[in-house]
Amino acid sequence: MTAEVDNSLALVESAVSGEGSGASPAANVEKPVKRKRNLAGMPDPDAEVIALSPKTLMATNRFVCEICNKGFQRDQNLQLHRRGHNLPWKLKQRTSKEIRKRVYVCPEPSCVHHDPSRALGDLTGIKKHFCRKHGEKKWKCDQCSKKYAVQSDWKAHLKICGTREYKCDCGTLFSRRDSFITHRAFCDALAVESAKGQPEDEPPQKKDEEPKPQSVESTPQSTSTASPPPPPVPLAPTPLTVVAPVTPVASSVLCIKNTPELPEVSELNNDPRPVLDNQPQLVGGLTVSCSGSCSSTHTGSTSSSVFASLFASSTASKSLQSQPPPQPQLQPQTTGYQDLMQTLVQPTQTPDLTLPPVAQEPISLCLSTSPGSSIFRTAGQDIRQYAPPPQPTMSATALLQKAAQMGASASGASLLRGYGLERDDTDGASIALGLGVGYDGRTGFEQLIMGTPSVYGPKHTLDFLGLGMAAGGGTTNGLSALMTSIGGSLDVPKAVSSFGLGGRGSSGEFTGKDMGTQ
Amino acid sequence: MFQDDGSSSVTSTPVQMFPSMSMSPSPYPWLKELKSEERGLCLIHLLLTCAKHVASGNFEHANIALDQISHLASPEGDTMQRIASYFAEALANRILKTWPGIYKALHSTRISLASENILVRKMFFEYFPYLKIAFVITNQVIIEAMEGEKIVHVIDLNAAEPTQWRALLRDLSARPEGPPHLRITGVHQQKEVLDQMARILIEEAEKLDIPFQFNPIVSAIENLDVEKLNVKTGEALAISSVLQFHSLLAPDDEVVKSKKNSNGVHLQRVLQVNPKDLANGYSLSQDTASSSPLSSAITSTKIEGFLTALRGLSPKVMVVVEQDSDHNKSGLMERLSESLYFYAALFDCLESTLPRTSMERLKVEKMLFGEEIKNVIACEGGERKERHEKLDKWFQRLDLAGFGCVPLSYYALLQARRLLQGYSCDGCRIKEENGCVVMCWQDRPLFSVSAWKCRR
């Protein structure tokens, strides 16, 4: 025993540059079990106890280069530095063959760690401890005037000071996440308003904690923190946990087709208003519906479902905006399909929302995602499911292509001319043609269509003032061909005047002018 | 629905000629009997005709065409009707701009809610797969480029959608070597959007235990000071530009103005003479300004300077997403026909996604596409920001600025295709072209995604 003590003392003396403090003899703690890594406060019984002086502990750079006076914390570093000066250097090997675990005691007698049984296992640790507890606080934060004795503590604080501030809806600020969450669980403000739009991380939790009713109850549910998965078991409804269903709503709404008890749920999405009043029932309704739909919503997030999850979280619950007076639930039971249709059509947020604009997403947005499945899948499918069957109309793209084709051929243009519509080279008279058709009734129109195709003739080859070139510009765009064909007949005015609509003598003048203006 | 003196201030002739018109209910009863296909064809024809008149300054005829269009088009009808109504509005705006006083008076009281704009962009993200595909590809490219990097800095030139970066955070935390220290710098014009993004991302990073920083920069792209991006040495930089570069192709207004002033006197005299001639003068001068070698060259657009500045940051990878359609020709007719095809495809896509009665659809069509169409058709010079160009032109520009194209990896393409399959949007297609991904509707290319690295 004493030999060990002497050894440790000797080591202490060699380690310290001169002054030793009142190194108390090591008193090894008897412990039957040897551990590789010590738990806090329970040092290794076989470890050497080392007591360093305050000066040693506070010294920063003990090893100094004689050439340039650069300080180093470790001798090894100094030796490596000496190489740069072409000085002889030697890296010391480990002094003893075995690895001896060392623990350090604090020199301050009043300190808990002064006792070897409460020694700290790490040299850097004891240094920082000594500075923090028994040292002077030399580093100060600008923003919040917090003081630190250890420079690394101060730096770490600077990084987070002011960056992470959690603000409860009631106005209280927190710098720590856990205290914020705890506060929110019991904050009264939450009971009054429904969930404010905050992004939520719903699918990961949903993925991980499938049926966890307790999580819904116990974790404070506003929207932004760990959101509950759709609780498969009916919860005891409390006003607070009501907020939770925000995200389950999204999922359950999507499964609307499968679950009968949907009116409330869908109401939740359709009208933010009923949320407040009917939350208890909603929760009940939700849970039932969710239980049915749980499996379907958990379609297993794939690795590419990050978007899905992000989507659901970002859009869900935003739909539930705080609304003024809660109104009783009104709507009769409607099918989910209709509800979703309604939602799709629902106009966006009411103006009394105070949230940042981005938060105001239309309710229908939350329908577009389903937690646990890819954004893409759900958005496409669900939205399409709820869209009415496409009318048998030609798509615009197809129409354009057809027009282009028609333009290439002459017939199209003349067909359109047959409608008596706008003629590019027309003057008021040929417009009268179009208008006059209406005026005269059907007869003039029929005359147009059937009677006078010859009038229009194949004049479309005439490049109207080089328009074809300007428009075509070398492209084979069919539309440009159409445009070329538009530049057509100059005889129209004459034909028009034959209809006796008071042909204007200026018609020729007009056309001439048109030609001139390009 | 016949306006008896509709726009008679522009042309008085119709009214004089057809006084009886004021009594008849509608001049085109037979129009109602048109089937939708014929109506669509009529509309196309009318639009082209009208545009031709506008381009040539023939406003009276343009007015008549617009009037006819108004009987057929409707923002709540079928696709072609909707498109026609927005294009007609754009053409009308173009005409009206020749009376700047009237134009300004009509538009001065318009309220544009920033929140609505943000909402509409969010809807564009939601209802189309295109942005999502672009984000998936961007993230994959970044992850691949940043393999082994310990400090990653991502610059998002349009930081509006936090979903993308949340996904990146998750993917990074799943890296075998552990997540890097991540810094994201977001550029946007509205502070609220950036605050929201910061909140969401910081929370996400906290959950995943990734060292993370978000730096917001409230600025427009045109005025962005690259120094403010605060790129530090030793960090691996990735830049993401989603539909942002094309607005930099607008000519620098100051440069153009100085050129105009030299021959501006002549213009002003023309102004008083005749609206028609003015239109000519206006369109001609603007067109020449934009098509003259000087303005299309480097000096008077901001794109070259910006790209060079970005190149100076030595990013490890830059992902560029742009519209793949040429809406930057100087001639109105060409722009019109190209944009007709482009927006027809987008409107068709919406038609297959949302019902006709959907308010969201209306908003996207009006506030997003309608505004873009207005900008392409009605604006000129520095005002026209929607200067979309085809991918090969972007290739040239980026090449000139010192970037080299990085072909997108097989895995990136795979993810994009998988996404699309999951989305089950029938007409949306992806094709690969020169190592870049081009997203199409049916066969019409809409958006392109390409990755770039610095070339020595």
PDB file of all heavy atoms in Angstrom, chain A residues 166 201 224 311 344 360 368 376-377 384 397 402 426 431 467, chain B residues 37 52 61 64 119 125-126 170 203 206 348 360 419 422 424:
ATOM      1  N   TYR A 166     -36.858  28.986 -28.381  1.00  0.00           N
ATOM      2  CA  TYR A 166     -38.190  28.436 -28.543  1.00  0.00           C
ATOM      3  C   TYR A 166     -39.171  29.406 -27.932  1.00  0.00           C
ATOM      4  O   TYR A 166     -38.996  29.873 -26.834  1.00  0.00           O
ATOM      5  CB  TYR A 166     -38.292  27.097 -27.819  1.00  0.00           C
ATOM      6  CG  TYR A 166     -37.274  26.115 -28.312  1.00  0.00           C
ATOM      7  CD1 TYR A 166     -36.022  26.060 -27.724  1.00  0.00           C
ATOM      8  CD2 TYR A 166     -37.561  25.263 -29.372  1.00  0.00           C
ATOM      9  CE1 TYR A 166     -35.087  25.162 -28.182  1.00  0.00           C
ATOM     10  CE2 TYR A 166     -36.633  24.368 -29.811  1.00  0.00           C
ATOM     11  CZ  TYR A 166     -35.393  24.317 -29.219  1.00  0.00           C
ATOM     12  OH  TYR A 166     -34.476  23.434 -29.682  1.00  0.00           O
ATOM     13  N   ASP A 201     -42.967  16.663 -37.364  1.00  0.00           N
ATOM     14  CA  ASP A 201     -42.198  15.574 -37.882  1.00  0.00           C
ATOM     15  C   ASP A 201     -42.966  14.308 -37.729  1.00  0.00           C
ATOM     16  O   ASP A 201     -42.602  13.451 -36.959  1.00  0.00           O
ATOM     17  CB  ASP A 201     -40.932  15.478 -37.076  1.00  0.00           C
ATOM     18  CG  ASP A 201     -39.843  15.180 -38.015  1.00  0.00           C
ATOM     19  OD1 ASP A 201     -40.120  15.182 -39.219  1.00  0.00           O
ATOM     20  OD2 ASP A 201     -38.767  14.948 -37.531  1.00  0.00           O
ATOM     21  N   SER A 224     -45.503  21.324 -33.276  1.00  0.00           N
ATOM     22  CA  SER A 224     -44.150  21.249 -33.812  1.00  0.00           C
ATOM     23  C   SER A 224     -43.295  20.188 -33.174  1.00  0.00           C
ATOM     24  O   SER A 224     -42.337  19.758 -33.746  1.00  0.00           O
ATOM     25  CB  SER A 224     -43.449  22.589 -33.667  1.00  0.00           C
ATOM     26  OG  SER A 224     -43.233  22.838 -32.309  1.00  0.00           O
ATOM     27  N   PHE A 311     -43.378  16.357 -46.198  1.00  0.00           N
ATOM     28  CA  PHE A 311     -44.560  16.940 -46.673  1.00  0.00           C
ATOM     29  C   PHE A 311     -45.662  16.899 -45.712  1.00  0.00           C
ATOM     30  O   PHE A 311     -46.315  17.896 -45.439  1.00  0.00           O
ATOM     31  CB  PHE A 311     -45.028  16.280 -47.951  1.00  0.00           C
ATOM     32  CG  PHE A 311     -45.207  17.375 -48.769  1.00  0.00           C
ATOM     33  CD1 PHE A 311     -44.119  17.873 -49.408  1.00  0.00           C
ATOM     34  CD2 PHE A 311     -46.333  18.137 -48.647  1.00  0.00           C
ATOM     35  CE1 PHE A 311     -44.253  19.082 -50.009  1.00  0.00           C
ATOM     36  CE2 PHE A 311     -46.441  19.299 -49.248  1.00  0.00           C
ATOM     37  CZ  PHE A 311     -45.399  19.767 -49.929  1.00  0.00           C
ATOM     38  N   LEU A 344     -60.748  20.349 -51.563  1.00  0.00           N
ATOM     39  CA  LEU A 344     -59.965  20.781 -52.704  1.00  0.00           C
ATOM     40  C   LEU A 344     -60.416  22.131 -53.178  1.00  0.00           C
ATOM     41  O   LEU A 344     -59.649  22.915 -53.660  1.00  0.00           O
ATOM     42  CB  LEU A 344     -60.092  19.763 -53.835  1.00  0.00           C
ATOM     43  CG  LEU A 344     -59.250  18.512 -53.648  1.00  0.00           C
ATOM     44  CD1 LEU A 344     -59.540  17.543 -54.753  1.00  0.00           C
ATOM     45  CD2 LEU A 344     -57.778  18.870 -53.649  1.00  0.00           C
ATOM     46  N   GLN A 360     -49.697  29.536 -44.151  1.00  0.00           N
ATOM     47  CA  GLN A 360     -51.091  29.486 -44.583  1.00  0.00           C
ATOM     48  C   GLN A 360     -51.215  28.615 -45.798  1.00  0.00           C
ATOM     49  O   GLN A 360     -51.245  29.091 -46.911  1.00  0.00           O
ATOM     50  CB  GLN A 360     -51.576  30.878 -44.932  1.00  0.00           C
ATOM     51  CG  GLN A 360     -51.627  31.780 -43.734  1.00  0.00           C
ATOM     52  CD  GLN A 360     -51.920  33.183 -44.191  1.00  0.00           C
ATOM     53  OE1 GLN A 360     -52.209  33.400 -45.342  1.00  0.00           O
ATOM     54  NE2 GLN A 360     -51.812  34.128 -43.287  1.00  0.00           N
ATOM     55  N   SER A 368     -52.805  16.204 -49.804  1.00  0.00           N
ATOM     56  CA  SER A 368     -51.983  15.723 -50.892  1.00  0.00           C
ATOM     57  C   SER A 368     -50.903  14.794 -50.402  1.00  0.00           C
ATOM     58  O   SER A 368     -50.191  14.222 -51.174  1.00  0.00           O
ATOM     59  CB  SER A 368     -51.347  16.905 -51.603  1.00  0.00           C
ATOM     60  OG  SER A 368     -50.469  17.529 -50.698  1.00  0.00           O
ATOM     61  N   PHE A 376     -44.942  11.842 -53.606  1.00  0.00           N
ATOM     62  CA  PHE A 376     -45.269  11.763 -54.985  1.00  0.00           C
ATOM     63  C   PHE A 376     -46.422  10.848 -55.180  1.00  0.00           C
ATOM     64  O   PHE A 376     -47.383  11.179 -55.832  1.00  0.00           O
ATOM     65  CB  PHE A 376     -44.088  11.215 -55.751  1.00  0.00           C
ATOM     66  CG  PHE A 376     -42.842  11.430 -54.962  1.00  0.00           C
ATOM     67  CD1 PHE A 376     -42.076  10.394 -54.549  1.00  0.00           C
ATOM     68  CD2 PHE A 376     -42.470  12.709 -54.583  1.00  0.00           C
ATOM     69  CE1 PHE A 376     -40.938  10.619 -53.805  1.00  0.00           C
ATOM     70  CE2 PHE A 376     -41.340  12.917 -53.833  1.00  0.00           C
ATOM     71  CZ  PHE A 376     -40.579  11.862 -53.458  1.00  0.00           C
ATOM     72  N   ARG A 377     -46.358   9.699 -54.611  1.00  0.00           N
ATOM     73  CA  ARG A 377     -47.439   8.733 -54.794  1.00  0.00           C
ATOM     74  C   ARG A 377     -48.747   9.338 -54.374  1.00  0.00           C
ATOM     75  O   ARG A 377     -49.690   9.401 -55.123  1.00  0.00           O
ATOM     76  CB  ARG A 377     -47.168   7.510 -53.934  1.00  0.00           C
ATOM     77  CG  ARG A 377     -46.682   6.338 -54.728  1.00  0.00           C
ATOM     78  CD  ARG A 377     -46.391   5.197 -53.837  1.00  0.00           C
ATOM     79  NE  ARG A 377     -45.050   5.280 -53.306  1.00  0.00           N
ATOM     80  CZ  ARG A 377     -44.708   4.806 -52.110  1.00  0.00           C
ATOM     81  NH1 ARG A 377     -45.596   4.246 -51.362  1.00  0.00           N
ATOM     82  NH2 ARG A 377     -43.490   4.906 -51.687  1.00  0.00           N
ATOM     83  N   ARG A 384     -55.810  12.942 -57.758  1.00  0.00           N
ATOM     84  CA  ARG A 384     -56.498  12.519 -58.957  1.00  0.00           C
ATOM     85  C   ARG A 384     -57.754  11.762 -58.643  1.00  0.00           C
ATOM     86  O   ARG A 384     -58.719  11.816 -59.357  1.00  0.00           O
ATOM     87  CB  ARG A 384     -55.560  11.676 -59.821  1.00  0.00           C
ATOM     88  CG  ARG A 384     -55.944  11.690 -61.243  1.00  0.00           C
ATOM     89  CD  ARG A 384     -54.791  11.662 -62.184  1.00  0.00           C
ATOM     90  NE  ARG A 384     -53.883  12.734 -62.012  1.00  0.00           N
ATOM     91  CZ  ARG A 384     -52.678  12.570 -61.492  1.00  0.00           C
ATOM     92  NH1 ARG A 384     -52.250  11.417 -61.131  1.00  0.00           N
ATOM     93  NH2 ARG A 384     -51.888  13.601 -61.353  1.00  0.00           N
ATOM     94  N   THR A 397     -52.647  21.005 -75.616  1.00  0.00           N
ATOM     95  CA  THR A 397     -51.499  20.658 -76.441  1.00  0.00           C
ATOM     96  C   THR A 397     -51.955  20.021 -77.743  1.00  0.00           C
ATOM     97  O   THR A 397     -51.453  20.328 -78.821  1.00  0.00           O
ATOM     98  CB  THR A 397     -50.622  19.641 -75.680  1.00  0.00           C
ATOM     99  OG1 THR A 397     -50.696  19.923 -74.296  1.00  0.00           O
ATOM    100  CG2 THR A 397     -49.216  19.701 -76.160  1.00  0.00           C
ATOM    101  N   LYS A 402     -53.049  20.290 -83.561  1.00  0.00           N
ATOM    102  CA  LYS A 402     -54.019  20.208 -84.648  1.00  0.00           C
ATOM    103  C   LYS A 402     -54.068  21.509 -85.424  1.00  0.00           C
ATOM    104  O   LYS A 402     -54.123  21.524 -86.656  1.00  0.00           O
ATOM    105  CB  LYS A 402     -55.403  19.888 -84.074  1.00  0.00           C
ATOM    106  CG  LYS A 402     -56.433  19.700 -85.136  1.00  0.00           C
ATOM    107  CD  LYS A 402     -57.586  18.851 -84.635  1.00  0.00           C
ATOM    108  CE  LYS A 402     -58.531  18.564 -85.798  1.00  0.00           C
ATOM    109  NZ  LYS A 402     -59.714  17.862 -85.365  1.00  0.00           N
ATOM    110  N   THR A 426     -58.654  42.199 -92.674  1.00  0.00           N
ATOM    111  CA  THR A 426     -60.009  42.734 -92.797  1.00  0.00           C
ATOM    112  C   THR A 426     -60.053  44.160 -92.329  1.00  0.00           C
ATOM    113  O   THR A 426     -59.250  44.612 -91.541  1.00  0.00           O
ATOM    114  CB  THR A 426     -60.988  41.959 -91.932  1.00  0.00           C
ATOM    115  OG1 THR A 426     -60.497  42.007 -90.592  1.00  0.00           O
ATOM    116  CG2 THR A 426     -61.073  40.545 -92.393  1.00  0.00           C
ATOM    117  N   ILE A 431     -65.149  42.401 -90.687  1.00  0.00           N
ATOM    118  CA  ILE A 431     -65.549  42.166 -89.306  1.00  0.00           C
ATOM    119  C   ILE A 431     -67.052  42.175 -89.256  1.00  0.00           C
ATOM    120  O   ILE A 431     -67.690  41.395 -88.579  1.00  0.00           O
ATOM    121  CB  ILE A 431     -64.961  43.237 -88.386  1.00  0.00           C
ATOM    122  CG1 ILE A 431     -63.460  43.012 -88.322  1.00  0.00           C
ATOM    123  CG2 ILE A 431     -65.584  43.135 -87.021  1.00  0.00           C
ATOM    124  CD1 ILE A 431     -62.726  44.145 -87.756  1.00  0.00           C
ATOM    125  N   LEU A 467     -44.841  38.102 -92.953  1.00  0.00           N
ATOM    126  CA  LEU A 467     -45.123  37.630 -91.604  1.00  0.00           C
ATOM    127  C   LEU A 467     -44.656  36.197 -91.438  1.00  0.00           C
ATOM    128  O   LEU A 467     -44.129  35.799 -90.424  1.00  0.00           O
ATOM    129  CB  LEU A 467     -46.620  37.720 -91.327  1.00  0.00           C
ATOM    130  CG  LEU A 467     -46.979  37.141 -89.953  1.00  0.00           C
ATOM    131  CD1 LEU A 467     -46.387  38.013 -88.872  1.00  0.00           C
ATOM    132  CD2 LEU A 467     -48.467  37.047 -89.799  1.00  0.00           C
TER     133      LEU A 467
ATOM    134  N   GLU B  37     -63.752  21.480 -79.282  1.00  0.00           N
ATOM    135  CA  GLU B  37     -62.567  21.390 -80.116  1.00  0.00           C
ATOM    136  C   GLU B  37     -62.520  22.542 -81.107  1.00  0.00           C
ATOM    137  O   GLU B  37     -61.488  23.199 -81.291  1.00  0.00           O
ATOM    138  CB  GLU B  37     -62.576  20.057 -80.854  1.00  0.00           C
ATOM    139  CG  GLU B  37     -61.362  19.883 -81.721  1.00  0.00           C
ATOM    140  CD  GLU B  37     -61.393  18.557 -82.433  1.00  0.00           C
ATOM    141  OE1 GLU B  37     -61.834  17.577 -81.806  1.00  0.00           O
ATOM    142  OE2 GLU B  37     -60.981  18.515 -83.603  1.00  0.00           O
ATOM    143  N   LYS B  52     -50.548  39.043 -83.983  1.00  0.00           N
ATOM    144  CA  LYS B  52     -49.994  39.629 -85.190  1.00  0.00           C
ATOM    145  C   LYS B  52     -50.346  41.115 -85.286  1.00  0.00           C
ATOM    146  O   LYS B  52     -49.516  41.946 -85.604  1.00  0.00           O
ATOM    147  CB  LYS B  52     -50.539  38.872 -86.395  1.00  0.00           C
ATOM    148  CG  LYS B  52     -49.685  39.055 -87.623  1.00  0.00           C
ATOM    149  CD  LYS B  52     -49.993  38.016 -88.655  1.00  0.00           C
ATOM    150  CE  LYS B  52     -51.478  37.939 -88.955  1.00  0.00           C
ATOM    151  NZ  LYS B  52     -52.002  39.152 -89.576  1.00  0.00           N
ATOM    152  N   HIS B  61     -57.645  46.268 -84.996  1.00  0.00           N
ATOM    153  CA  HIS B  61     -57.946  44.885 -85.307  1.00  0.00           C
ATOM    154  C   HIS B  61     -57.665  43.978 -84.130  1.00  0.00           C
ATOM    155  O   HIS B  61     -58.375  43.002 -83.866  1.00  0.00           O
ATOM    156  CB  HIS B  61     -57.131  44.428 -86.520  1.00  0.00           C
ATOM    157  CG  HIS B  61     -57.562  45.133 -87.773  1.00  0.00           C
ATOM    158  ND1 HIS B  61     -56.875  45.010 -88.940  1.00  0.00           N
ATOM    159  CD2 HIS B  61     -58.600  45.950 -88.019  1.00  0.00           C
ATOM    160  CE1 HIS B  61     -57.477  45.738 -89.871  1.00  0.00           C
ATOM    161  NE2 HIS B  61     -58.530  46.318 -89.335  1.00  0.00           N
ATOM    162  N   ILE B  64     -60.574  43.991 -81.937  1.00  0.00           N
ATOM    163  CA  ILE B  64     -61.691  43.165 -82.390  1.00  0.00           C
ATOM    164  C   ILE B  64     -61.417  41.703 -82.095  1.00  0.00           C
ATOM    165  O   ILE B  64     -62.292  40.955 -81.629  1.00  0.00           O
ATOM    166  CB  ILE B  64     -61.923  43.395 -83.892  1.00  0.00           C
ATOM    167  CG1 ILE B  64     -62.428  44.824 -84.088  1.00  0.00           C
ATOM    168  CG2 ILE B  64     -62.914  42.393 -84.432  1.00  0.00           C
ATOM    169  CD1 ILE B  64     -62.209  45.338 -85.473  1.00  0.00           C
ATOM    170  N   LEU B 119     -48.044  31.242 -51.194  1.00  0.00           N
ATOM    171  CA  LEU B 119     -48.968  30.111 -51.219  1.00  0.00           C
ATOM    172  C   LEU B 119     -49.022  29.475 -52.590  1.00  0.00           C
ATOM    173  O   LEU B 119     -49.000  28.255 -52.748  1.00  0.00           O
ATOM    174  CB  LEU B 119     -50.346  30.658 -50.866  1.00  0.00           C
ATOM    175  CG  LEU B 119     -51.350  29.639 -50.399  1.00  0.00           C
ATOM    176  CD1 LEU B 119     -50.806  28.947 -49.197  1.00  0.00           C
ATOM    177  CD2 LEU B 119     -52.631  30.348 -50.064  1.00  0.00           C
ATOM    178  N   PHE B 125     -45.426  23.597 -56.095  1.00  0.00           N
ATOM    179  CA  PHE B 125     -44.613  22.501 -55.612  1.00  0.00           C
ATOM    180  C   PHE B 125     -45.467  21.275 -55.364  1.00  0.00           C
ATOM    181  O   PHE B 125     -45.089  20.148 -55.650  1.00  0.00           O
ATOM    182  CB  PHE B 125     -43.914  22.934 -54.326  1.00  0.00           C
ATOM    183  CG  PHE B 125     -43.200  21.821 -53.623  1.00  0.00           C
ATOM    184  CD1 PHE B 125     -42.050  21.288 -54.147  1.00  0.00           C
ATOM    185  CD2 PHE B 125     -43.678  21.317 -52.426  1.00  0.00           C
ATOM    186  CE1 PHE B 125     -41.390  20.254 -53.504  1.00  0.00           C
ATOM    187  CE2 PHE B 125     -43.024  20.295 -51.784  1.00  0.00           C
ATOM    188  CZ  PHE B 125     -41.871  19.758 -52.315  1.00  0.00           C
ATOM    189  N   GLU B 126     -46.654  21.518 -54.829  1.00  0.00           N
ATOM    190  CA  GLU B 126     -47.532  20.413 -54.463  1.00  0.00           C
ATOM    191  C   GLU B 126     -48.133  19.688 -55.637  1.00  0.00           C
ATOM    192  O   GLU B 126     -48.139  18.465 -55.694  1.00  0.00           O
ATOM    193  CB  GLU B 126     -48.695  20.990 -53.656  1.00  0.00           C
ATOM    194  CG  GLU B 126     -48.413  21.182 -52.223  1.00  0.00           C
ATOM    195  CD  GLU B 126     -48.559  19.884 -51.474  1.00  0.00           C
ATOM    196  OE1 GLU B 126     -48.858  18.850 -52.103  1.00  0.00           O
ATOM    197  OE2 GLU B 126     -48.364  19.926 -50.263  1.00  0.00           O
ATOM    198  N   ARG B 170     -31.832  14.514 -43.696  1.00  0.00           N
ATOM    199  CA  ARG B 170     -32.026  13.098 -43.365  1.00  0.00           C
ATOM    200  C   ARG B 170     -31.073  12.207 -44.131  1.00  0.00           C
ATOM    201  O   ARG B 170     -30.505  11.271 -43.583  1.00  0.00           O
ATOM    202  CB  ARG B 170     -33.449  12.709 -43.706  1.00  0.00           C
ATOM    203  CG  ARG B 170     -34.351  13.434 -42.805  1.00  0.00           C
ATOM    204  CD  ARG B 170     -35.674  12.817 -42.757  1.00  0.00           C
ATOM    205  NE  ARG B 170     -36.519  13.703 -41.964  1.00  0.00           N
ATOM    206  CZ  ARG B 170     -37.784  13.514 -41.776  1.00  0.00           C
ATOM    207  NH1 ARG B 170     -38.352  12.485 -42.343  1.00  0.00           N
ATOM    208  NH2 ARG B 170     -38.476  14.348 -41.059  1.00  0.00           N
ATOM    209  N   GLU B 203     -34.898  22.758 -36.418  1.00  0.00           N
ATOM    210  CA  GLU B 203     -35.540  21.713 -35.622  1.00  0.00           C
ATOM    211  C   GLU B 203     -35.178  20.323 -36.136  1.00  0.00           C
ATOM    212  O   GLU B 203     -34.890  19.406 -35.376  1.00  0.00           O
ATOM    213  CB  GLU B 203     -37.038  21.924 -35.704  1.00  0.00           C
ATOM    214  CG  GLU B 203     -37.783  21.008 -34.791  1.00  0.00           C
ATOM    215  CD  GLU B 203     -39.251  21.071 -35.070  1.00  0.00           C
ATOM    216  OE1 GLU B 203     -39.694  22.129 -35.563  1.00  0.00           O
ATOM    217  OE2 GLU B 203     -39.931  20.084 -34.809  1.00  0.00           O
ATOM    218  N   GLU B 206     -31.672  19.414 -35.263  1.00  0.00           N
ATOM    219  CA  GLU B 206     -31.567  19.074 -33.845  1.00  0.00           C
ATOM    220  C   GLU B 206     -31.987  17.643 -33.594  1.00  0.00           C
ATOM    221  O   GLU B 206     -31.369  16.909 -32.841  1.00  0.00           O
ATOM    222  CB  GLU B 206     -32.527  19.978 -33.104  1.00  0.00           C
ATOM    223  CG  GLU B 206     -31.959  20.634 -31.917  1.00  0.00           C
ATOM    224  CD  GLU B 206     -33.001  21.564 -31.374  1.00  0.00           C
ATOM    225  OE1 GLU B 206     -33.123  22.658 -31.926  1.00  0.00           O
ATOM    226  OE2 GLU B 206     -33.690  21.143 -30.449  1.00  0.00           O
ATOM    227  N   ASP B 348     -52.507  21.677 -69.212  1.00  0.00           N
ATOM    228  CA  ASP B 348     -53.018  20.321 -69.369  1.00  0.00           C
ATOM    229  C   ASP B 348     -52.690  19.482 -68.149  1.00  0.00           C
ATOM    230  O   ASP B 348     -53.498  18.684 -67.688  1.00  0.00           O
ATOM    231  CB  ASP B 348     -52.395  19.662 -70.613  1.00  0.00           C
ATOM    232  CG  ASP B 348     -53.052  20.147 -71.886  1.00  0.00           C
ATOM    233  OD1 ASP B 348     -54.203  20.620 -71.803  1.00  0.00           O
ATOM    234  OD2 ASP B 348     -52.422  20.036 -72.948  1.00  0.00           O
ATOM    235  N   GLU B 360     -57.732  26.336 -55.945  1.00  0.00           N
ATOM    236  CA  GLU B 360     -56.280  26.314 -55.980  1.00  0.00           C
ATOM    237  C   GLU B 360     -55.797  26.340 -57.413  1.00  0.00           C
ATOM    238  O   GLU B 360     -54.827  27.016 -57.763  1.00  0.00           O
ATOM    239  CB  GLU B 360     -55.734  25.049 -55.317  1.00  0.00           C
ATOM    240  CG  GLU B 360     -55.632  25.114 -53.817  1.00  0.00           C
ATOM    241  CD  GLU B 360     -56.932  24.742 -53.209  1.00  0.00           C
ATOM    242  OE1 GLU B 360     -57.646  23.937 -53.828  1.00  0.00           O
ATOM    243  OE2 GLU B 360     -57.247  25.256 -52.138  1.00  0.00           O
ATOM    244  N   LEU B 419     -39.684   8.325 -58.208  1.00  0.00           N
ATOM    245  CA  LEU B 419     -40.583   9.362 -57.709  1.00  0.00           C
ATOM    246  C   LEU B 419     -41.744   9.541 -58.653  1.00  0.00           C
ATOM    247  O   LEU B 419     -42.900   9.617 -58.256  1.00  0.00           O
ATOM    248  CB  LEU B 419     -39.818  10.661 -57.618  1.00  0.00           C
ATOM    249  CG  LEU B 419     -40.532  11.747 -56.856  1.00  0.00           C
ATOM    250  CD1 LEU B 419     -40.129  11.677 -55.440  1.00  0.00           C
ATOM    251  CD2 LEU B 419     -40.218  13.095 -57.387  1.00  0.00           C
ATOM    252  N   GLY B 422     -44.212   6.783 -58.512  1.00  0.00           N
ATOM    253  CA  GLY B 422     -45.065   6.884 -57.345  1.00  0.00           C
ATOM    254  C   GLY B 422     -46.094   7.978 -57.506  1.00  0.00           C
ATOM    255  O   GLY B 422     -47.173   7.925 -56.936  1.00  0.00           O
ATOM    256  N   SER B 424     -47.662   8.830 -60.146  1.00  0.00           N
ATOM    257  CA  SER B 424     -48.713   8.371 -61.053  1.00  0.00           C
ATOM    258  C   SER B 424     -49.391   9.523 -61.778  1.00  0.00           C
ATOM    259  O   SER B 424     -50.601   9.660 -61.793  1.00  0.00           O
ATOM    260  CB  SER B 424     -49.761   7.538 -60.311  1.00  0.00           C
ATOM    261  OG  SER B 424     -50.582   8.364 -59.515  1.00  0.00           O
TER     262      SER B 424
END
